[in-house]
Amino acid sequence: MEEECLNTESVGNDDDADECGIEGDCAMTEYVNQTGVIENPLPPSVGMEFESYEDVYYFYNCYAKQQGFGIRVSNTWYRKSKERYRGKLSCSSAGFKKKSEANRPRPETRTGCPAMVKFRLMENKRWKIIEVELEHNHLITPGSGKFYKSHKIIGPGTKRTLQLDGPEEVQKIKLFRTVIVDAEGNGGVDNDGGQFGNDVLLPSQLKLKEGDAQAVQSFFFRLQLMDPNFFYVVELNEKGYMRNLFWTDARSRAAYGCFCDVIAIDTMCLTYKFEVPLVAFIGVNHHGQPILLGCGMLADETTESYTWLLRAWLTCMLGRPPQAIITDHHKTLQTAVADVFPRASHCFYLSRIVQRIPETLGELFDFEAIKVSLSKVVYCFLRPEEFEAAWEEMTQHHGIRDHKWIQTLYEDRKRWVPAYLKETFLAGMLPLQQNETAASFFEGYLDRHTSLKEFMDNYDQALHASRQRESLADMDSRNSSFMLKPRCFFELQLSKLYTNEIQRRFEREVEGMYSCFSTRQAYVDGQVMTYLVKEEVEVEGSKRETRDFEVMYNASEMDVLCVCGLFNFSGFLCRHALSVLNQNGLEEIPPQYILTRWRKDMKRSYVLDHSCRGIDINNPIHRYDHLYKCIVRVVEEGRKSQDCSKATQQALADMLSKLHLVEHRPPAM
């Protein structure tokens, strides 16, 4: 029997629970299969709201089933009117059993596990999760199918049986309900064509033209039909009008699972007042190509809106934060990132800061000289202490030490100056050369004057073009030998492992290795040897000057570290480090500098597009996509039972035999 503790009076200050919730509006999305069972439920998070106590129990139990643990009711709080107003659900391993005086007491199975959710009844009569702990202190095996009582019993206070297994279970996931709740607890979306018949535009609502609201709804419905795992959330303001949106698809979520180390949050459309207030979450794949990880539209650039969007994205990505985040230099966004991703390294786009120099300093008398000096200080000094001294001299010389923007840049220097970023892995996503800029994912499909309807029409094209480029790059890397005549063993080694584009980038470092004309050992400190590598670099147009790059090398650990920091910036060793390895007789790059994220054989669990486009049988990519979708349906049917699995395996074996016969059949005359 499940243990349930009943308290007839409030424990502690119940009002404090409100402080745990998400600021502003919050939303939750349920995924339910056709038998009523939640499929692939999101992890519980603070701010999720449910219609009843039983729904919270049901949701957490389905999540527990998927993750491989059982649950039980730890506490339920009642008012004097016998109305429940608060509850706590815990892992079945929470706490410890009371000591028994029996001769043969049962062994202890509980571990004092802290995993739990707390929830309470709000004024709008919805139940809101106010506290969550996802970590367990014992081993759990997701999808193990291990039996727990909570997975078979009837939920407390309901007659809905939790039948989570059985051959009749339909595995296809569909969006069952999106609950949209604003800060006042009001829900619902008006489906009128314009801004919901609103005559006075509120500052906290999307600026939609006539028909845009219906276009948004149609856009979401269409994407949901093409992709059953499509996810979207809408935030409403206090009047019930659309304030903020977020959406993403199954492939983007799967891609983040493979490339979750670094993301960029592109807010250029907000900064430059585009007609579409788009925010794009961007990652980078194993070809160094940008990939879309989600989109949002915001009514304003307040900390509250950014926080809502970042939390929506993080919830969709199962609560897994990236290691590093790149954004524009924006104070409210900086505050939101620190709140939602407190452990991530937050960096600013250097190229976009440089682009702002004319608009912020353009009125100064010696603007051109300031621009040249500022660029030199930022790009040419590799150590923090060198940068600090050069910055002080530059601001003093030009009399801009008290300029507000210059002061702000200096205060945030550790987030954008290369000298401070060398400890942060950035996977080539942060342009650090003077002529490099950060391109928009939707470049060519979205500009300042693109309407919302036009953008939604172009959205599919942009996504399809991006994924087509990735497929072509996959084929190119698999089917061609990029390095026909390697100039050194390092090149040959990586040509067998890395995708062609990353190999091309690495090739530039190999070429640069031959411009390093002097590599000498400067001093030794225990196991670590320090080398000085001289290189001629181009400065100020066609001028060239010689610079020294310090490289530390530990032969016993095969660790190499260059002051230029290229490995963390781009994900492969620099020419200076290669020169030191080469001088020490190494013919292969040490394994710790071979990154899985760049490998051509990297395994990815992408869910391909469920689009209805025609199949070009002469296009190998179209054939691959179409066959993949077909075989996924076969696998879904085959996994339903042991008999289905055996029949599927036999059918696949027969199919492979027929394909081998076709492959070896002589061509028709």
Side-chain angles (χ1 to χ4, degrees):
M1 180 176 180
E2 292 288 289
E3 181 178 310
E4 180 169 346
C5 300
L6 305 179
N7 297 320
T8 56
E9 301 198 8
S10 175
V11 177
N13 186 358
D14 190 59
D15 293 335
D16 291 343
D18 288 336
E19 298 176 5
C20 300
I22 296 178
E23 295 180 9
D25 304 359
C26 60
M28 65 154 287
T29 304
E30 287 184 16
Y31 291 88
V32 182
N33 73 12
Q34 294 174 356
T35 62
V37 177
I38 298 176
E39 288 292 330
N40 298 326
L42 297 173
S45 62
V46 172
M48 282 184 169
E49 294 196 7
F50 300 80
E51 293 180 1
S52 67
Y53 181 105
E54 290 76 20
D55 281 349
V56 184
Y57 182 94
Y58 187 64
F59 169 80
Y60 192 47
N61 205 18
C62 290
Y63 168 75
K65 167 67 176 176
Q66 182 201 52
Q67 295 296 313
F69 67 95
I71 70 169
R72 59 190 177 88
V73 178
S74 290
N75 293 87
T76 302
W77 287 263
Y78 288 81
R79 304 189 194 279
K80 292 181 180 180
S81 61
K82 304 299 183 184
E83 179 190 28
R84 290 178 298 195
Y85 71 92
R86 188 164 174 168
K88 178 182 177 182
L89 304 177
S90 301
C91 171
S92 57
S93 295
F96 297 95
K97 292 181 179 179
K98 294 180 180 179
K99 291 184 178 181
S100 172
E101 296 181 0
N103 293 330
R104 299 179 64 185
R106 293 183 180 180
E108 178 64 77
T109 57
R110 297 184 186 177
T111 63
C113 180
M116 61 83 199
V117 295
K118 288 182 181 178
F119 51 101
R120 62 166 294 174
L121 184 65
M122 309 301 291
E123 290 182 4
N124 60 7
K125 299 303 180 183
R126 297 182 191 271
W127 290 83
K128 181 177 181 178
I129 295 180
I130 60 172
E131 188 176 345
V132 175
E133 175 56 62
L134 297 179
E135 297 298 323
H136 296 257
N137 64 2
H138 56 95
L139 182 65
I140 60 173
T141 308
S144 65
K146 184 176 179 180
F147 175 81
Y148 289 95
K149 286 193 293 183
S150 66
H151 301 158
K152 289 294 184 181
I153 68 166
I154 296 177
T158 180
K159 294 184 178 180
R160 174 170 48 184
T161 305
L162 304 178
Q163 295 293 341
L164 301 184
D165 295 302
E168 75 287 348
E169 184 178 5
V170 180
Q171 296 297 325
K172 186 176 180 181
I173 300 165
K174 66 177 183 179
L175 189 64
F176 177 69
R177 180 172 70 237
T178 302
V179 182
I180 307 163
V181 185
D182 66 20
E184 302 298 324
N186 303 314
V189 177
D190 193 330
N191 292 324
D192 290 342
Q195 182 59 52
F196 311 119
N198 181 39
D199 296 323
V200 181
L201 194 65
L202 298 173
S204 60
Q205 71 183 64
L206 287 172
K207 298 177 182 178
L208 302 183
K209 296 180 179 179
E210 184 177 355
D212 280 354
Q214 185 62 47
V216 169
Q217 186 180 48
S218 300
F219 174 70
F220 286 163
F221 286 171
R222 175 171 57 82
L223 293 178
Q224 186 179 326
L225 286 173
M226 292 194 303
D227 178 2
N229 227 354
F230 177 74
F231 176 96
Y232 74 93
V233 187
V234 182
E235 183 190 29
L236 306 180
N237 65 13
E238 63 274 10
K239 299 296 183 182
Y241 304 130
M242 279 198 294
R243 181 183 180 188
N244 300 316
L245 310 175
F246 170 73
W247 72 91
T248 191
D249 61 13
R251 175 157 176 160
S252 293
R253 297 169 75 183
Y256 180 70
C258 300
F259 306 108
C260 59
D261 43 11
V262 188
I263 68 164
I265 303 173
D266 189 351
T267 56
M268 186 178 67
C269 294
L270 293 175
T271 302
Y272 294 102
K273 309 301 179 185
F274 280 36
E275 193 166 327
V276 179
L278 184 75
V279 177
F281 293 83
I282 309 298
V284 62
N285 66 14
H286 55 315
H287 301 289
Q289 300 169 337
I291 52 176
L292 190 65
L293 302 176
C295 288
M297 285 196 287
L298 300 182
D300 52 47
E301 294 186 82
T302 61
T303 300
E304 290 77 18
S305 288
Y306 279 127
T307 299
W308 178 90
L309 181 65
L310 298 183
R311 284 180 175 164
W313 181 84
L314 183 61
T315 298
C316 175
M317 297 303 174
L318 304 180
R320 294 172 297 175
Q323 298 170 20
I325 298 171
I326 305 169
T327 71
D328 284 340
H329 185 211
H330 196 297
K331 206 65 179 178
T332 56
L333 180 55
Q334 183 178 350
T335 302
V337 169
D339 181 27
V340 181
F341 305 106
R343 297 183 182 178
S345 298
H346 184 191
C347 309
F348 299 143
Y349 277 116
L350 170 58
S351 58
R352 292 186 181 173
I353 289 177
V354 172
Q355 287 172 355
R356 289 191 60 194
I357 293 177
E359 66 183 76
T360 52
L361 303 178
E363 296 181 356
L364 298 180
F365 174 72
D366 54 348
F367 161 69
E368 290 297 336
I370 293 173
K371 183 180 177 181
V372 172
S373 297
L374 184 58
S375 296
K376 182 177 181 180
V377 169
V378 170
Y379 288 106
C380 296
F381 293 96
L382 302 177
R383 299 181 184 279
E385 59 273 16
E386 295 174 351
F387 167 81
E388 299 271 355
W391 181 274
E392 175 66 22
E393 182 182 344
M394 182 266 297
T395 55
Q396 192 78 19
H397 176 74
H398 293 288
I400 56 175
R401 189 174 185 180
D402 296 327
H403 192 282
K404 186 175 181 181
W405 187 63
I406 291 294
Q407 288 179 338
T408 302
L409 288 183
Y410 183 74
E411 289 170 2
D412 292 328
R413 63 194 180 280
K414 294 182 180 179
R415 300 188 186 276
W416 65 276
V417 177
Y420 294 95
L421 299 178
K422 290 180 289 186
E423 300 299 318
T424 303
F425 182 74
L426 297 169
M429 289 195 69
L430 189 65
L432 293 171
Q433 300 301 317
Q434 284 188 260
N435 298 323
E436 289 182 319
T437 58
S440 169
F441 180 86
F442 290 101
E443 190 169 350
Y445 300 93
L446 178 65
D447 58 36
R448 288 190 183 187
H449 307 294
T450 303
S451 70
L452 181 59
K453 291 181 181 179
E454 288 176 319
F455 169 69
M456 290 178 174
D457 290 337
N458 294 340
Y459 178 84
D460 277 347
Q461 299 175 34
L463 230 59
H464 182 64
S466 170
R467 292 168 182 178
Q468 185 87 342
R469 285 192 294 270
E470 181 171 344
S471 296
L472 288 169
D474 280 342
M475 293 182 61
D476 184 40
S477 294
R478 281 197 306 265
N479 300 331
S480 65
S481 178
F482 175 71
M483 188 52 54
L484 299 177
K485 294 182 178 180
R487 287 160 292 188
C488 66
F489 290 109
F490 302 142
E491 247 181 335
L492 179 63
Q493 177 190 10
L494 290 196
S495 69
K496 297 175 182 178
L497 302 174
Y498 278 3
T499 59
N500 286 359
E501 175 57 31
I502 302 303
Q503 176 64 25
R504 289 186 186 99
R505 298 179 188 182
F506 178 70
E507 184 185 26
R508 291 195 286 269
E509 294 307 308
V510 173
E511 291 174 357
M513 185 172 67
Y514 296 104
S515 67
C516 298
F517 56 87
S518 172
T519 301
R520 66 180 181 83
Q521 183 175 309
Y523 51 87
V524 178
D525 182 9
Q527 300 259 336
V528 179
M529 295 175 284
T530 300
Y531 290 82
L532 287 180
V533 179
K534 292 185 179 293
E535 181 191 8
E536 275 197 358
V537 297
E538 190 174 291
V539 293
E540 298 179 12
S542 58
K543 294 182 180 179
R544 302 185 70 84
E545 68 177 34
T546 300
R547 289 186 184 169
D548 290 341
F549 293 86
E550 191 175 88
V551 181
M552 291 186 290
Y553 175 61
N554 185 327
S556 61
E557 301 291 336
M558 289 195 297
D559 285 338
V560 61
L561 179 65
C562 180
V563 70
C564 77
L566 183 74
F567 180 76
N568 275 339
F569 288 148
S570 299
F572 43 80
L573 289 177
C574 64
R575 58 196 66 185
H576 319 113
L578 294 176
S579 297
V580 170
L581 293 179
N582 186 56
Q583 180 156 315
N584 280 272
L586 270 72
E587 296 184 351
E588 287 192 343
I589 294 173
Q592 63 265 39
Y593 301 106
I594 307 293
L595 302 186
T596 302
R597 70 157 4 267
W598 300 136
R599 293 179 67 105
K600 63 178 73 179
D601 60 352
M602 183 178 184
K603 303 299 180 184
R604 290 159 292 149
S605 56
Y606 287 178
V607 179
L608 299 179
D609 293 328
H610 293 265
S611 60
C612 301
R613 296 184 180 88
I615 302 300
D616 178 4
I617 61 173
N618 295 317
N619 187 323
I621 298 173
H622 283 204
R623 292 199 303 267
Y624 178 89
D625 284 3
H626 181 62
L627 290 172
Y628 189 94
K629 295 171 195 173
C630 292
I631 206 67
V632 165
R633 291 199 294 270
V634 173
V635 171
E636 290 296 329
E637 291 296 321
R639 69 189 290 268
K640 289 184 177 180
S641 69
Q642 190 173 358
D643 290 340
C644 288
S645 178
K646 289 181 179 178
T648 302
Q649 292 180 51
Q650 183 59 51
L652 289 174
D654 295 342
M655 187 189 306
L656 284 173
S657 298
K658 291 180 181 179
L659 289 174
H660 289 150
L661 291 175
V662 171
E663 185 179 0
H664 295 96
R665 183 184 300 167
M669 299 299 291

